[in-house]
Amino acid sequence: RRMFSPAGCFRIVEGPSTPDETLIGINQLALRRAMKFMHTIGAIGQMGAMACLLVLLSFVPAPTSLSEYALMRGAMGGIATWIFLPSLGLVLITGLLAIALNPGYHSAGWAWVKLFSGILVFEWGFAAVQGPMQQEAELSARALAHQVDPAALAASLGAEWKSLWVLLAVATANVILGIWRPRLTRIPD
């Protein structure tokens, strides 16, 4: 019979065991903890980026102030590209690996709800945040260079605002599911 110590770091093994067997148990535990840590860091980055984008959206100047508008949209495009997108990918990949590595999650209903909502957040993050932020940053830079009419700017502000709030709400629900772990329908093995 094998059990983990109260600290969860070492296996307490009753009966004969090999050093390889003990090492495998410690490595699996370390891997699970690493996945959880990276998943948490990714969620912090993702939700922080969405909060920053919401704040910046509330301070975006009118496109008539073209240089300030282009600067703000460039900053927002940078946040979407260099913070939001990598964090989003990290959350999805580590979440999938955590489910694969932890047999207890295979039949947990909350883990499957979190998986499906995470995939939706990932897809919607591309379609409603990453794409429009990059397009508007490029469009405003082209307008600043007098290659595009500035009247074409700011068409997606309302949709971006609403999409970010919805994604932030779903990401918050995912965090709640991960902490609370309600007893949803258990999926048979």
Side-chain angles (χ1 to χ4, degrees):
R1 183 174 162 209
R2 295 182 185 104
M3 302 183 309
F4 284 102
S5 68
C9 296
F10 302 102
R11 281 186 168 202
I12 300 170
V13 180
E14 294 176 8
S17 69
T18 64
D20 290 337
E21 191 176 81
T22 304
L23 185 61
I24 289 170
I26 292 171
N27 287 341
Q28 286 176 346
L29 180 62
L31 187 58
R32 286 184 194 156
R33 287 188 174 168
M35 288 297 112
K36 184 175 183 177
F37 175 76
M38 290 189 295
H39 191 71
T40 302
I41 292 298
I44 290 168
Q46 174 190 351
M47 293 175 75
M50 287 189 282
C52 286
L53 290 170
L54 282 168
V55 169
L56 289 176
L57 272 173
S58 67
F59 288 105
V60 169
T64 54
S65 305
L66 193 53
S67 61
E68 291 86 10
Y69 181 82
L71 180 65
M72 184 71 82
R73 292 308 291 208
M76 292 170 73
I79 291 170
T81 301
W82 299 108
I83 299 173
F84 177 75
L85 187 62
S87 297
L88 190 62
L90 184 63
V91 167
L92 183 66
I93 290 168
T94 56
L96 290 171
L97 286 173
I99 289 174
L101 293 173
N102 192 339
Y105 293 167
H106 296 176
S107 62
W110 67 267
W112 289 97
V113 169
K114 192 171 171 175
L115 170 71
F116 292 129
S117 64
I119 291 172
L120 289 175
V121 167
F122 187 75
E123 289 181 16
W124 195 252
F126 274 113
V129 177
Q130 180 68 22
M133 293 281 174
Q134 283 183 334
Q135 287 175 344
E136 192 68 17
E138 292 169 8
L139 191 62
S140 62
R142 290 178 57 209
L144 192 59
H146 304 291
Q147 297 173 350
V148 175
D149 184 16
L153 299 174
S156 64
L157 282 176
E160 290 174 35
W161 179 264
K162 291 172 189 168
S163 296
L164 281 167
W165 275 113
V166 169
L167 285 175
L168 194 55
V170 173
T172 302
N174 277 342
V175 169
I176 291 168
L177 280 172
I179 293 171
W180 180 38
R181 297 181 181 186
R183 291 202 182 272
L184 301 175
T185 305
R186 292 194 64 82
I187 299 168
D189 292 330

